[in-house]
Amino acid sequence: MEFIFADDARQDNPSRLGVGPLVAIGGVHVHADAVGALERQIDEHCRDWGFPRAEQFKWSPGSTEPFMRTQLVEDRREGFYEGLIELAISHQVRACVVIEDTKFKTAREQSRDHEHDVTALFLERVSADLRAQTADGTMVVAKPRGGHKEEQKFLSQCLQLLESG
């Protein structure tokens, strides 16, 4: 059994020249036997780096992650992430990320918008990975930004995509 922990992302003004607004969804695949140990080791890693108990880490910290923005910068942030990646490797974690530039057409003609498209592509890749591993999976998705309405829209979209194959 695999657990897939997924989260969405949006960047309206990327810093790279010529890149338009981006939408993405990504996740990590963790074997069920490794989930508990990996979580404990990530918690310990965060404590070792001085994280406040209630603060989560983000790849791109915002205003709700003041520790990362002020205390975990440059080489320290790089070292923190290297440690996380080493933990993931030691637990045979696999990752999948789908990103689209919204200036361009969606990859799938039947997609309603880029968010729908990246979700469909992500689910397709997760399914293919599980088939290749001959494993079952359970997906745990972070709550989308935007409140209850966005959460319901996302869950409904995922259900429709799964039901349509």
Side-chain angles (χ1 to χ4, degrees):
M1 170 70 87
E2 296 277 321
F3 281 90
I4 299 94
F5 298 94
D7 199 2
D8 68 325
R10 170 178 285 284
Q11 191 170 27
D12 292 327
N13 297 303
S15 57
R16 290 191 188 258
L17 189 62
V19 176
L22 301 173
V23 295
I25 186 168
V28 293
H29 300 230
V30 184
H31 192 275
D33 293 340
V35 170
L38 178 59
E39 181 181 15
R40 287 187 295 278
Q41 290 176 10
I42 289 173
D43 286 345
E44 182 179 344
H45 182 69
C46 289
R47 280 193 305 275
D48 290 347
W49 283 86
F51 266 80
R53 253 187 135 48
E55 188 171 323
Q56 62 182 344
F57 62 85
K58 292 276 196 172
W59 293 109
S60 297
S63 60
T64 59
E65 294 86 30
F67 172 77
M68 285 196 77
R69 289 186 67 143
T70 62
Q71 305 298 312
L72 202 60
V73 296
E74 298 175 4
D75 290 344
R76 279 185 44 82
R77 189 174 299 169
E78 188 175 315
F80 172 75
Y81 288 138
E82 285 175 0
L84 284 177
I85 292 168
E86 288 171 10
L87 286 173
I89 291 169
S90 73
H91 288 85
Q92 299 175 343
V93 172
R94 296 178 319 284
C96 174
V97 178
V98 179
I99 304 170
E100 287 186 359
D101 184 329
T102 62
K103 288 190 320 189
F104 299 97
K105 289 175 35 178
T106 60
R108 301 168 65 247
E109 285 186 25
Q110 64 270 41
S111 291
R112 294 186 306 266
D113 55 32
H114 287 85
E115 289 83 0
H116 183 259
D117 203 46
V118 296
T119 303
L121 294 171
F122 179 76
L123 292 173
E124 176 185 281
R125 282 155 178 77
V126 166
S127 294
D129 183 66
L130 291 172
R131 274 193 306 278
Q133 301 293 323
T134 60
D136 293 322
T138 298
M139 188 172 300
V140 179
V141 180
K143 224 175 185 179
R145 287 183 290 269
H148 184 70
K149 185 177 178 182
E150 286 299 312
E151 182 179 346
Q152 290 301 315
K153 177 183 169 190
F154 178 73
L155 292 173
S156 174
Q157 178 175 287
C158 285
L159 183 59
Q160 289 171 355
L161 287 166
L162 290 171
E163 288 175 343
S164 68

PDB file of all heavy atoms in Angstrom, residues 87-106:
ATOM      1  N   LEU A  87      16.272  12.291   3.837  1.00  0.00           N
ATOM      2  CA  LEU A  87      15.287  11.464   4.539  1.00  0.00           C
ATOM      3  C   LEU A  87      14.347  10.786   3.539  1.00  0.00           C
ATOM      4  O   LEU A  87      14.044   9.596   3.671  1.00  0.00           O
ATOM      5  CB  LEU A  87      14.468  12.315   5.516  1.00  0.00           C
ATOM      6  CG  LEU A  87      15.168  12.757   6.790  1.00  0.00           C
ATOM      7  CD1 LEU A  87      14.288  13.729   7.579  1.00  0.00           C
ATOM      8  CD2 LEU A  87      15.539  11.549   7.645  1.00  0.00           C
ATOM      9  N   ALA A  88      13.886  11.543   2.554  1.00  0.00           N
ATOM     10  CA  ALA A  88      12.984  10.978   1.551  1.00  0.00           C
ATOM     11  C   ALA A  88      13.663   9.838   0.797  1.00  0.00           C
ATOM     12  O   ALA A  88      13.071   8.765   0.603  1.00  0.00           O
ATOM     13  CB  ALA A  88      12.525  12.068   0.580  1.00  0.00           C
ATOM     14  N   ILE A  89      14.903  10.038   0.391  1.00  0.00           N
ATOM     15  CA  ILE A  89      15.638   9.000  -0.329  1.00  0.00           C
ATOM     16  C   ILE A  89      15.798   7.756   0.532  1.00  0.00           C
ATOM     17  O   ILE A  89      15.598   6.629   0.066  1.00  0.00           O
ATOM     18  CB  ILE A  89      17.008   9.532  -0.807  1.00  0.00           C
ATOM     19  CG1 ILE A  89      16.795  10.570  -1.919  1.00  0.00           C
ATOM     20  CG2 ILE A  89      17.917   8.395  -1.265  1.00  0.00           C
ATOM     21  CD1 ILE A  89      18.055  11.359  -2.271  1.00  0.00           C
ATOM     22  N   SER A  90      16.108   7.960   1.809  1.00  0.00           N
ATOM     23  CA  SER A  90      16.326   6.810   2.698  1.00  0.00           C
ATOM     24  C   SER A  90      15.047   6.006   2.915  1.00  0.00           C
ATOM     25  O   SER A  90      15.113   4.847   3.312  1.00  0.00           O
ATOM     26  CB  SER A  90      16.921   7.263   4.031  1.00  0.00           C
ATOM     27  OG  SER A  90      15.950   7.925   4.816  1.00  0.00           O
ATOM     28  N   HIS A  91      13.891   6.610   2.668  1.00  0.00           N
ATOM     29  CA  HIS A  91      12.609   5.908   2.801  1.00  0.00           C
ATOM     30  C   HIS A  91      11.998   5.574   1.437  1.00  0.00           C
ATOM     31  O   HIS A  91      10.817   5.255   1.342  1.00  0.00           O
ATOM     32  CB  HIS A  91      11.637   6.748   3.634  1.00  0.00           C
ATOM     33  CG  HIS A  91      12.013   6.787   5.080  1.00  0.00           C
ATOM     34  ND1 HIS A  91      12.920   7.695   5.590  1.00  0.00           N
ATOM     35  CD2 HIS A  91      11.637   6.012   6.114  1.00  0.00           C
ATOM     36  CE1 HIS A  91      13.065   7.485   6.878  1.00  0.00           C
ATOM     37  NE2 HIS A  91      12.304   6.472   7.223  1.00  0.00           N
ATOM     38  N   GLN A  92      12.793   5.673   0.390  1.00  0.00           N
ATOM     39  CA  GLN A  92      12.389   5.326  -0.977  1.00  0.00           C
ATOM     40  C   GLN A  92      11.137   6.079  -1.431  1.00  0.00           C
ATOM     41  O   GLN A  92      10.255   5.535  -2.096  1.00  0.00           O
ATOM     42  CB  GLN A  92      12.199   3.818  -1.109  1.00  0.00           C
ATOM     43  CG  GLN A  92      13.480   3.061  -0.817  1.00  0.00           C
ATOM     44  CD  GLN A  92      13.302   1.570  -0.829  1.00  0.00           C
ATOM     45  OE1 GLN A  92      12.196   1.051  -0.755  1.00  0.00           O
ATOM     46  NE2 GLN A  92      14.418   0.862  -0.923  1.00  0.00           N
ATOM     47  N   VAL A  93      11.084   7.352  -1.075  1.00  0.00           N
ATOM     48  CA  VAL A  93       9.974   8.210  -1.488  1.00  0.00           C
ATOM     49  C   VAL A  93      10.153   8.555  -2.957  1.00  0.00           C
ATOM     50  O   VAL A  93      11.261   8.821  -3.418  1.00  0.00           O
ATOM     51  CB  VAL A  93       9.935   9.494  -0.621  1.00  0.00           C
ATOM     52  CG1 VAL A  93       8.928  10.497  -1.152  1.00  0.00           C
ATOM     53  CG2 VAL A  93       9.636   9.141   0.831  1.00  0.00           C
ATOM     54  N   ARG A  94       9.047   8.533  -3.688  1.00  0.00           N
ATOM     55  CA  ARG A  94       9.046   8.962  -5.086  1.00  0.00           C
ATOM     56  C   ARG A  94       8.183  10.205  -5.191  1.00  0.00           C
ATOM     57  O   ARG A  94       7.253  10.378  -4.406  1.00  0.00           O
ATOM     58  CB  ARG A  94       8.491   7.847  -5.987  1.00  0.00           C
ATOM     59  CG  ARG A  94       9.367   6.610  -5.975  1.00  0.00           C
ATOM     60  CD  ARG A  94       8.819   5.474  -6.815  1.00  0.00           C
ATOM     61  NE  ARG A  94       7.397   5.233  -6.741  1.00  0.00           N
ATOM     62  CZ  ARG A  94       6.752   4.639  -5.736  1.00  0.00           C
ATOM     63  NH1 ARG A  94       7.424   4.236  -4.682  1.00  0.00           N
ATOM     64  NH2 ARG A  94       5.446   4.433  -5.793  1.00  0.00           N
ATOM     65  N   ALA A  95       8.475  11.050  -6.164  1.00  0.00           N
ATOM     66  CA  ALA A  95       7.727  12.302  -6.314  1.00  0.00           C
ATOM     67  C   ALA A  95       7.207  12.448  -7.732  1.00  0.00           C
ATOM     68  O   ALA A  95       7.776  11.906  -8.677  1.00  0.00           O
ATOM     69  CB  ALA A  95       8.623  13.494  -5.973  1.00  0.00           C
ATOM     70  N   CYS A  96       6.118  13.197  -7.855  1.00  0.00           N
ATOM     71  CA  CYS A  96       5.539  13.526  -9.153  1.00  0.00           C
ATOM     72  C   CYS A  96       5.017  14.957  -9.070  1.00  0.00           C
ATOM     73  O   CYS A  96       4.327  15.307  -8.112  1.00  0.00           O
ATOM     74  CB  CYS A  96       4.387  12.575  -9.473  1.00  0.00           C
ATOM     75  SG  CYS A  96       3.497  13.006 -10.987  1.00  0.00           S
ATOM     76  N   VAL A  97       5.373  15.772 -10.055  1.00  0.00           N
ATOM     77  CA  VAL A  97       4.912  17.156 -10.111  1.00  0.00           C
ATOM     78  C   VAL A  97       4.464  17.454 -11.536  1.00  0.00           C
ATOM     79  O   VAL A  97       5.140  17.094 -12.493  1.00  0.00           O
ATOM     80  CB  VAL A  97       6.038  18.143  -9.712  1.00  0.00           C
ATOM     81  CG1 VAL A  97       5.564  19.580  -9.826  1.00  0.00           C
ATOM     82  CG2 VAL A  97       6.548  17.850  -8.312  1.00  0.00           C
ATOM     83  N   VAL A  98       3.310  18.106 -11.661  1.00  0.00           N
ATOM     84  CA  VAL A  98       2.806  18.542 -12.960  1.00  0.00           C
ATOM     85  C   VAL A  98       2.627  20.056 -12.879  1.00  0.00           C
ATOM     86  O   VAL A  98       1.937  20.554 -11.995  1.00  0.00           O
ATOM     87  CB  VAL A  98       1.458  17.863 -13.302  1.00  0.00           C
ATOM     88  CG1 VAL A  98       0.952  18.352 -14.657  1.00  0.00           C
ATOM     89  CG2 VAL A  98       1.597  16.344 -13.290  1.00  0.00           C
ATOM     90  N   ILE A  99       3.268  20.779 -13.807  1.00  0.00           N
ATOM     91  CA  ILE A  99       3.225  22.242 -13.823  1.00  0.00           C
ATOM     92  C   ILE A  99       2.825  22.693 -15.223  1.00  0.00           C
ATOM     93  O   ILE A  99       3.312  22.150 -16.211  1.00  0.00           O
ATOM     94  CB  ILE A  99       4.603  22.848 -13.488  1.00  0.00           C
ATOM     95  CG1 ILE A  99       5.116  22.330 -12.150  1.00  0.00           C
ATOM     96  CG2 ILE A  99       4.538  24.384 -13.485  1.00  0.00           C
ATOM     97  CD1 ILE A  99       6.572  22.692 -11.874  1.00  0.00           C
ATOM     98  N   GLU A 100       1.958  23.702 -15.281  1.00  0.00           N
ATOM     99  CA  GLU A 100       1.584  24.275 -16.573  1.00  0.00           C
ATOM    100  C   GLU A 100       1.665  25.787 -16.526  1.00  0.00           C
ATOM    101  O   GLU A 100       1.304  26.416 -15.529  1.00  0.00           O
ATOM    102  CB  GLU A 100       0.156  23.867 -16.958  1.00  0.00           C
ATOM    103  CG  GLU A 100       0.048  22.434 -17.373  1.00  0.00           C
ATOM    104  CD  GLU A 100      -1.322  22.065 -17.901  1.00  0.00           C
ATOM    105  OE1 GLU A 100      -2.237  22.910 -17.936  1.00  0.00           O
ATOM    106  OE2 GLU A 100      -1.474  20.905 -18.295  1.00  0.00           O
ATOM    107  N   ASP A 101       2.125  26.337 -17.623  1.00  0.00           N
ATOM    108  CA  ASP A 101       2.124  27.781 -17.846  1.00  0.00           C
ATOM    109  C   ASP A 101       0.759  28.111 -18.449  1.00  0.00           C
ATOM    110  O   ASP A 101       0.412  27.616 -19.521  1.00  0.00           O
ATOM    111  CB  ASP A 101       3.255  28.145 -18.811  1.00  0.00           C
ATOM    112  CG  ASP A 101       3.412  29.631 -19.030  1.00  0.00           C
ATOM    113  OD1 ASP A 101       2.398  30.374 -18.957  1.00  0.00           O
ATOM    114  OD2 ASP A 101       4.545  30.071 -19.301  1.00  0.00           O
ATOM    115  N   THR A 102      -0.004  28.947 -17.779  1.00  0.00           N
ATOM    116  CA  THR A 102      -1.378  29.204 -18.219  1.00  0.00           C
ATOM    117  C   THR A 102      -1.460  30.083 -19.465  1.00  0.00           C
ATOM    118  O   THR A 102      -2.558  30.296 -19.995  1.00  0.00           O
ATOM    119  CB  THR A 102      -2.215  29.836 -17.089  1.00  0.00           C
ATOM    120  OG1 THR A 102      -1.649  31.102 -16.734  1.00  0.00           O
ATOM    121  CG2 THR A 102      -2.250  28.926 -15.871  1.00  0.00           C
ATOM    122  N   LYS A 103      -0.310  30.565 -19.960  1.00  0.00           N
ATOM    123  CA  LYS A 103      -0.313  31.311 -21.228  1.00  0.00           C
ATOM    124  C   LYS A 103      -0.558  30.381 -22.412  1.00  0.00           C
ATOM    125  O   LYS A 103      -0.901  30.828 -23.498  1.00  0.00           O
ATOM    126  CB  LYS A 103       1.027  32.014 -21.456  1.00  0.00           C
ATOM    127  CG  LYS A 103       1.295  33.195 -20.585  1.00  0.00           C
ATOM    128  CD  LYS A 103       2.531  33.975 -21.024  1.00  0.00           C
ATOM    129  CE  LYS A 103       3.683  33.121 -21.464  1.00  0.00           C
ATOM    130  NZ  LYS A 103       4.929  33.855 -21.692  1.00  0.00           N
ATOM    131  N   PHE A 104      -0.335  29.092 -22.200  1.00  0.00           N
ATOM    132  CA  PHE A 104      -0.428  28.117 -23.278  1.00  0.00           C
ATOM    133  C   PHE A 104      -1.665  27.240 -23.110  1.00  0.00           C
ATOM    134  O   PHE A 104      -2.280  27.200 -22.050  1.00  0.00           O
ATOM    135  CB  PHE A 104       0.840  27.264 -23.329  1.00  0.00           C
ATOM    136  CG  PHE A 104       2.071  28.076 -23.578  1.00  0.00           C
ATOM    137  CD1 PHE A 104       2.880  28.493 -22.523  1.00  0.00           C
ATOM    138  CD2 PHE A 104       2.411  28.459 -24.863  1.00  0.00           C
ATOM    139  CE1 PHE A 104       4.011  29.257 -22.747  1.00  0.00           C
ATOM    140  CE2 PHE A 104       3.542  29.225 -25.100  1.00  0.00           C
ATOM    141  CZ  PHE A 104       4.341  29.632 -24.040  1.00  0.00           C
ATOM    142  N   LYS A 105      -1.987  26.490 -24.165  1.00  0.00           N
ATOM    143  CA  LYS A 105      -3.125  25.577 -24.129  1.00  0.00           C
ATOM    144  C   LYS A 105      -2.890  24.475 -23.097  1.00  0.00           C
ATOM    145  O   LYS A 105      -1.749  24.135 -22.794  1.00  0.00           O
ATOM    146  CB  LYS A 105      -3.336  24.936 -25.505  1.00  0.00           C
ATOM    147  CG  LYS A 105      -3.870  25.874 -26.547  1.00  0.00           C
ATOM    148  CD  LYS A 105      -3.965  25.267 -27.942  1.00  0.00           C
ATOM    149  CE  LYS A 105      -4.323  23.815 -27.961  1.00  0.00           C
ATOM    150  NZ  LYS A 105      -4.467  23.240 -29.293  1.00  0.00           N
ATOM    151  N   THR A 106      -3.980  23.899 -22.622  1.00  0.00           N
ATOM    152  CA  THR A 106      -3.869  22.749 -21.728  1.00  0.00           C
ATOM    153  C   THR A 106      -3.342  21.548 -22.514  1.00  0.00           C
ATOM    154  O   THR A 106      -3.466  21.491 -23.735  1.00  0.00           O
ATOM    155  CB  THR A 106      -5.245  22.399 -21.119  1.00  0.00           C
ATOM    156  OG1 THR A 106      -6.153  22.094 -22.179  1.00  0.00           O
ATOM    157  CG2 THR A 106      -5.780  23.547 -20.269  1.00  0.00           C
TER     158      THR A 106
END
